[in-house]
Amino acid sequence: MKVYLDNNATTIVDPHVFAEMEPFFVQRYGNPNSLHLFASETHKPLKTAMEKIYAGINAPKEDSVVITSCATESNNWVFKSIFFEYILTGRKNHIIVSEVEHPSVIANAKFLEAHGCKVTYLPINSEGMIEAHTVRDFITPKTALVSIMWANNETGAIFPVQEIGNICAEAGVLFHTDAVQAVGKTPIDVQSFNVDYLTMSAHKFHGPKGVGALYIRKGKELTPLMHGGAQMGGLRSGTLNVAGIVGMGKAMEQAVDALDYEMHEIRELRDAFEDQLLEIEDTFVVTPREKRTPNTILISFRGIEGEAMLWDLNRAGIAASTGSACASEDLESNPVMEAIGAEADLAHTAIRFSLSRYTTKEELDYAIEIVREAVKRLRSISSSYAYTPKGHVSGLDSH
Ligand code: 7TS
């Protein structure tokens, strides 16, 4: 049996999404910016797709949603624009990000730092949560941007973006949120949240890879990252990825339709699976489940290297993760575990299971059997496990 439990890395393309995309490769391949019939047959599908994306985050027409090549590009755009508008000109010299942002935000913060910008890396608490009031403590008149993700990709922790947005609005500071792990898992409404910029990635909600988007509030326009033929209203040049945009639109529509299912049925499946995992001795979960997206579990198995566990799971056909796939070739400890100050041996034992609306109870029943066997085998050959004192672990709930 093959079981895919790495949906925070990427998801299966929904067959309905694929079906809507298919005609735009061989049949309707015109460049939408051309002036002939081949172009015109792409116009309506593009418009419909964009309307679905706007509707999915409740963006008003006057705001912009700009299609990019991925979330990484959307995040880069925000930071590079801040660099040109504020840091390079000397208007402002400070930004705030959380210390558990995805590398596509952290690496940009480091880039700005290397060019003279001060960066505050906001800490998380022992539950892996950002406390909104800490944002207020660090804002100064020189702060250009606050960038805090909506949901963390490792733990699934949903950060208090509404409160943070309000704090930023009061202080007159731009607020960006990377909502890659939030779309389709928690309601997103840019009109009732004070966000200026919001990053999305289609492949995280059953759309195609290589298509992302950035929501930009009216009046908060950014300096383009891609200069060229002035597509997307001049905000992002480059021939439109018609199939990709059509796919993202359909995927967004379905994510909204399936939101209730994710928030209830998938949550129930996740919780039952997590209960079974926690029945295994010496296992630890950082963030309380009610504060997480419905699909994610980050769990530590004391005495077992995450990579060793992945190996055993993989041999049995189960896909999980020890950290961002982008970084999982290095044997680094999990960044969130490090950020909460977990001891080194525990920081290396975290495994992320992430479900999707395609995950079934049968798959999880199989997975729990394999996990139990793997824990037994790996602990029996672990040099550290036998000597590790059991009991309270700083910063973690013990089960
Ligand atoms: N932001 C967040 C919060 C993410 O989780 C990811 C991918 C990205 C940005 C980048 O998205 P992309 O479409 O540009 O690649 N996160 C992960 C992960 O958790 N495991 O593999 C990829």
Side-chain angles (χ1 to χ4, degrees):
M1 191 169 187
K2 268 168 81 184
V3 181
Y4 186 72
L5 296 175
D6 196 15
N7 287 282
N8 286 9
T10 197
T11 56
I12 184 174
V13 173
D14 184 291
H16 296 100
V17 169
F18 183 57
E20 290 226 352
M21 290 173 70
E22 227 182 335
F24 296 95
F25 291 97
V26 176
Q27 295 145 34
R28 300 189 190 184
Y29 52 85
N31 183 330
N33 288 71
S34 301
L35 297 173
H36 44 63
L37 68 163
F38 288 82
S40 61
E41 56 191 26
T42 65
H43 291 167
K44 193 159 181 294
L46 276 173
K47 185 166 178 284
T48 308
M50 290 306 297
E51 282 167 2
K52 288 175 179 170
I53 300 172
Y54 271 76
I57 59 169
N58 196 26
K61 275 202 188 84
E62 59 271 22
D63 295 353
S64 305
V65 174
V66 180
I67 301 300
T68 60
S69 64
C70 55
T72 300
E73 182 189 326
S74 302
N75 289 343
N76 268 267
W77 185 7
V78 175
F79 282 77
K80 299 298 180 341
S81 175
I82 293 294
F83 173 68
F84 286 115
E85 295 290 323
Y86 293 94
I87 313 303
L88 198 58
T89 58
R91 285 164 67 198
K92 294 195 174 175
N93 68 355
H94 175 233
I95 61 164
I96 300 174
V97 301
S98 87
E99 62 178 347
V100 292
E101 295 297 312
H102 185 266
S104 57
V105 164
I106 294 289
N108 272 290
K110 301 257 186 244
F111 169 82
L112 262 57
E113 218 170 359
H115 288 83
C117 177
K118 295 193 183 77
V119 180
T120 300
Y121 295 92
L122 213 61
I124 50 172
N125 66 18
S126 60
E127 287 188 342
M129 295 296 291
I130 290 286
E131 292 172 23
H133 67 88
T134 59
V135 176
R136 185 180 284 120
D137 298 343
F138 288 105
I139 289 179
T140 76
K142 285 291 201 183
T143 307
L145 177 78
V146 170
S147 177
I148 307 283
M149 66 208 317
W150 198 303
N152 182 266
N153 48 313
E154 303 294 347
T155 56
I158 298 180
F159 291 151
V161 281
Q162 190 157 29
E163 253 178 292
I164 295 171
N166 293 342
I167 291 169
C168 292
E170 274 168 34
V173 174
L174 294 170
F175 178 46
H176 165 242
T177 187
D178 175 345
V180 162
Q181 299 290 348
V183 175
K185 294 167 196 160
T186 188
I188 296 194
D189 177 351
V190 293
Q191 295 194 48
S192 60
F193 286 68
N194 268 316
V195 303
D196 298 310
Y197 311 113
L198 181 140
T199 293
M200 297 168 265
S201 192
H203 73 100
K204 306 283 187 182
F205 52 94
H206 304 288
K209 291 168 188 57
V211 199
L214 185 68
Y215 159 80
I216 304 174
R217 189 177 291 278
K218 187 177 167 56
K220 305 292 172 78
E221 282 75 14
L222 295 169
T223 301
L225 188 61
M226 303 288 199
H227 292 93
Q231 289 90 346
M232 285 267 153
L235 292 172
R236 201 259 184 197
S237 293
T239 299
L240 299 191
N241 175 0
V242 179
I245 297 170
V246 167
M248 187 173 194
K250 183 68 181 169
M252 179 62 94
E253 180 184 59
Q254 294 205 311
V256 171
D257 288 349
L259 185 58
D260 219 48
Y261 183 79
E262 287 268 353
M263 289 176 67
H264 297 102
E265 272 79 356
I266 296 304
R267 180 180 295 277
E268 258 176 44
L269 278 184
R270 189 273 310 268
D271 288 353
F273 183 53
E274 189 170 322
D275 285 342
Q276 289 177 307
L277 290 170
L278 289 171
E279 278 168 16
I280 300 170
E281 205 176 282
D282 277 334
T283 49
F284 309 93
V285 169
V286 175
T287 306
R289 25 181 106 156
E290 65 281 2
K291 296 185 180 171
R292 277 186 264 147
T293 45
N295 76 320
T296 306
I297 304 172
L298 182 71
I299 184 163
S300 280
F301 298 90
R302 188 185 278 288
I304 301 176
E305 282 283 339
E307 281 74 14
M309 179 64 124
L310 279 196
W311 175 265
D312 270 29
L313 297 184
N314 190 48
R315 265 195 327 195
I318 296 169
S321 159
T322 50
S324 291
C326 353
S328 67
E329 276 163 23
D330 347 319
L331 278 186
E332 282 179 6
S333 54
N334 188 286
V336 176
M337 298 296 285
E338 272 184 11
I340 62 153
E343 306 146 44
D345 70 325
L346 264 189
H348 281 271
T349 63
I351 295 278
R352 179 183 72 185
F353 296 102
S354 47
L355 286 59
S356 82
R357 61 176 190 257
Y358 284 86
T359 307
T360 63
K361 182 172 180 307
E362 290 65 38
E363 290 176 334
L364 296 174
D365 287 345
Y366 172 69
I368 189 69
E369 286 311 315
I370 301 299
V371 172
R372 283 190 191 121
E373 281 169 29
V375 170
K376 210 190 250 168
R377 189 185 87 79
L378 293 166
R379 280 188 177 156
S380 73
I381 58 168
S382 163
S383 55
S384 65
Y385 187 64
Y387 304 109
T388 314
K390 296 182 183 154
H392 181 71
V393 183
S394 129
L396 296 174
D397 286 335
S398 174
H399 297 267

